[in-house]
Amino acid sequence: MDGQGPFLPDYESVFGQAVARVRAEGRYRVFADLERKAGAFPRAHNHGPGPDEVTVWCSNDYLGQGQNPVVIEALKRSAERMGAGSGGTRNISGTHHLHVLLENELAALHGKEAALLFTSGYVSNSATLSTVGKLLPGCVILSDSLNHASMIDGIRQSGCEKRIFQHNDIADLERNLAEIPIDRPKMIAFESLYSMDGDTAPIAEFCDLADRYGAMTYLDEVHAVGLYGKGGGGVSERDGVAHRLTVIEGTLGKAFGCMGGYIAGSRDLVDAVRCHAPGFIFTTSLAPAIVGAALESVRYLRAHDELRQQHQARAARLKALLTEAGLPLMPSETHIVPVLVGCPVKAKAITDKLLTEHGIYVQPINYPTVPKGTERLRLTPTPLHDDVMMDHLVAALTQVFAEVEADAPARAAG
């Protein structure tokens, strides 16, 4: 050692360099320090730079259910009756009657025999895909190229052979299916609504291929459940194909305004996941207050289709305003309203100006959420974003886009 002590890794420099690389690419994320105002959605108190009050334009609480008085009252009532926490895993004292009621409600929502709650939509995807894959020896999972990170993680953990087919491409999916022996287990995994582009999957056609080639189907309805279909069952309900799907996965954290994830399917499949998935077995269950609020929210949205109609009308109006203003609206057939920027540095500059100068909060969407060169603003209008808010947003976007474009040469030279 020549009198020198043993070499010690410089751990902190590794972490610092990892962050520095993200900063150098212009995609370092800064969290807005906001405080939602119950009863005033989409307004929020801003604890960071800019005006004290801002309007939130990027929330996944698509219908404002997180501040629906009946949902909040259900949360309070459940906490007062059962306390703050669940007390354990579902296997050890953590199953409360509300968990059972909510699982029954979610199964009914999708027309399935059973449902199973998880602590988040990420966990429900990861745990279910990995577990089902491991239970089927030799299984091949065919995954849409734009599937969410949670689905990719679950497929990786399954240890199954994975085939990626081109996004929403029926012909490419069939080509892959035709290359797999008909008697080999296989599962097609895809989303109903892709939240960054706002397009939907050809669910019926994928089910046709599954029938033809003997495959299971796994549908992620996270960004559609509560928002589409007469009862809020998602795109699969809207299209009349929910009964054809093996597994439907969803979340309680978006349209339902609460927290948690779930799957719905046959009684045997759901029970198999319940018995074998580490992501379910070894984690504390959702707090009763959250479950009580989610149960009320699901029941409420199943009975209030008018909210879905209002939501679609608001999204259509905003798209029309953006188009009329000549802003770079990306194609979208759903409630997602993406505006192309194409550069992480510009995207951050735009959103910083919107927040500090106009009281508008939009989070830039950068790589790895979207491919490099397609950085964007992802606007999510709700039934509670009125005409005045929309007009203000479009005027601010028009001004800020022009300002940032004008500043671009100076930034490049600097």
Side-chain angles (χ1 to χ4, degrees), residues 222-303:
V222 161
H223 287 276
V225 69
L227 302 173
Y228 295 86
K230 188 69 175 176
V235 176
S236 58
E237 184 196 8
R238 183 197 70 180
D239 294 353
V241 293
H243 64 286
R244 302 184 64 187
L245 294 154
T246 311
V247 181
I248 296 177
E249 183 268 349
T251 183
L252 303 168
K254 294 183 170 58
F256 294 122
C258 296
M259 177 184 178
Y262 66 88
I263 60 166
S266 71
R267 197 169 307 282
D268 284 345
L269 184 147
V270 169
D271 207 22
V273 173
R274 183 184 70 86
C275 293
H276 290 274
F280 174 82
I281 296 170
F282 298 106
T283 190
T284 301
S285 66
L286 289 168
I290 296 296
V291 179
L295 175 61
E296 188 63 38
S297 186
V298 174
R299 288 173 172 170
Y300 186 91
L301 288 186
R302 290 187 72 187

Side-chain angles (χ1 to χ4, degrees), residues 71-72 74-80 82-86 98-99 258 286-295:
V71 175
I72 294 174
L75 183 142
K76 292 178 181 177
R77 189 169 60 246
S78 300
E80 288 168 354
M82 302 182 186
S86 69
L98 286 172
H99 292 90
C258 296
L286 289 168
I290 296 296
V291 179
L295 175 61

Side-chain angles (χ1 to χ4, degrees), residues 8-30:
L8 296 176
D10 186 355
Y11 299 113
E12 293 304 313
S13 70
V14 174
F15 304 141
Q17 290 166 17
V19 174
R21 288 194 297 271
V22 175
R23 287 185 182 275
E25 293 176 12
R27 57 185 183 90
Y28 181 77
R29 298 171 190 249
V30 178

Side-chain angles (χ1 to χ4, degrees), residues 79-406:
E80 288 168 354
R81 286 175 51 200
M82 302 182 186
S86 69
T89 67
R90 288 292 297 275
N91 289 327
I92 305 174
S93 81
T95 294
H96 295 258
H97 186 51
L98 286 172
H99 292 90
V100 177
L101 292 177
L102 180 53
E103 287 173 341
N104 291 340
E105 191 75 27
L106 292 168
L109 173 67
H110 295 292
K112 298 298 183 184
E113 293 178 346
L116 190 66
L117 286 171
F118 294 84
T119 51
S120 73
Y122 190 105
V123 175
S124 56
N125 267 336
S126 179
T128 302
L129 284 164
S130 61
T131 300
V132 171
K134 289 174 182 175
L135 291 173
L136 296 170
C139 182
V140 180
I141 300 181
L142 300 102
S143 176
D144 187 284
S145 62
L146 292 188
N147 275 345
H148 190 265
S150 58
M151 300 177 75
I152 295 169
D153 182 51
I155 295 168
R156 178 185 59 79
Q157 289 188 55
S158 75
C160 293
E161 177 186 338
K162 176 179 69 174
R163 291 193 174 216
I164 300 174
F165 61 91
Q166 293 301 308
H167 177 54
N168 280 348
D169 192 324
I170 299 167
D172 192 42
L173 174 58
E174 181 162 26
R175 179 186 64 78
N176 277 278
L177 285 165
E179 294 175 356
I180 304 169
I182 191 67
D183 59 348
R184 189 174 176 186
K186 55 191 78 71
M187 178 164 56
I188 306 167
F190 59 103
E191 300 180 37
S192 65
L193 193 161
Y194 290 83
S195 66
M196 292 300 135
D197 296 308
D199 58 337
T200 58
I203 303 175
E205 288 82 355
F206 284 177
C207 288
D208 290 342
L209 290 177
D211 292 344
R212 189 176 309 155
Y213 291 96
M216 299 171 61
T217 48
Y218 183 100
L219 178 67
D220 178 320
E221 283 269 30
V222 161
H223 287 276
V225 69
L227 302 173
Y228 295 86
K230 188 69 175 176
V235 176
S236 58
E237 184 196 8
R238 183 197 70 180
D239 294 353
V241 293
H243 64 286
R244 302 184 64 187
L245 294 154
T246 311
V247 181
I248 296 177
E249 183 268 349
T251 183
L252 303 168
K254 294 183 170 58
F256 294 122
C258 296
M259 177 184 178
Y262 66 88
I263 60 166
S266 71
R267 197 169 307 282
D268 284 345
L269 184 147
V270 169
D271 207 22
V273 173
R274 183 184 70 86
C275 293
H276 290 274
F280 174 82
I281 296 170
F282 298 106
T283 190
T284 301
S285 66
L286 289 168
I290 296 296
V291 179
L295 175 61
E296 188 63 38
S297 186
V298 174
R299 288 173 172 170
Y300 186 91
L301 288 186
R302 290 187 72 187
H304 287 81
D305 187 50
E306 74 279 1
L307 274 180
R308 284 178 280 279
Q309 303 306 318
Q310 293 167 15
H311 186 222
Q312 292 297 316
R314 292 281 81 195
R317 183 178 192 275
L318 181 58
K319 290 176 185 178
L321 290 174
L322 292 167
T323 300
E324 184 180 349
L327 288 159
L329 176 68
M330 300 173 70
S332 167
E333 62 193 79
T334 61
H335 64 281
I336 303 297
V337 183
V339 178
L340 182 65
V341 178
C343 167
V345 176
K346 285 185 180 181
K348 187 173 188 311
I350 288 169
T351 55
D352 284 350
K353 277 179 167 287
L354 286 172
L355 181 63
T356 59
E357 299 175 15
H358 299 274
I360 291 170
Y361 172 55
V362 183
Q363 187 68 19
I365 305 296
N366 298 325
Y367 176 85
T369 307
V370 296
K372 292 180 179 180
T374 69
E375 292 82 3
R376 67 198 67 177
L377 312 183
R378 176 181 172 274
L379 305 173
T380 54
T382 74
L384 300 173
H385 285 89
D386 60 27
D387 288 355
V388 173
M389 292 176 185
M390 286 194 177
D391 292 342
H392 177 226
L393 171 68
V394 174
L397 281 170
T398 302
Q399 178 181 333
V400 170
F401 261 77
E403 291 172 351
V404 169
E405 196 60 41

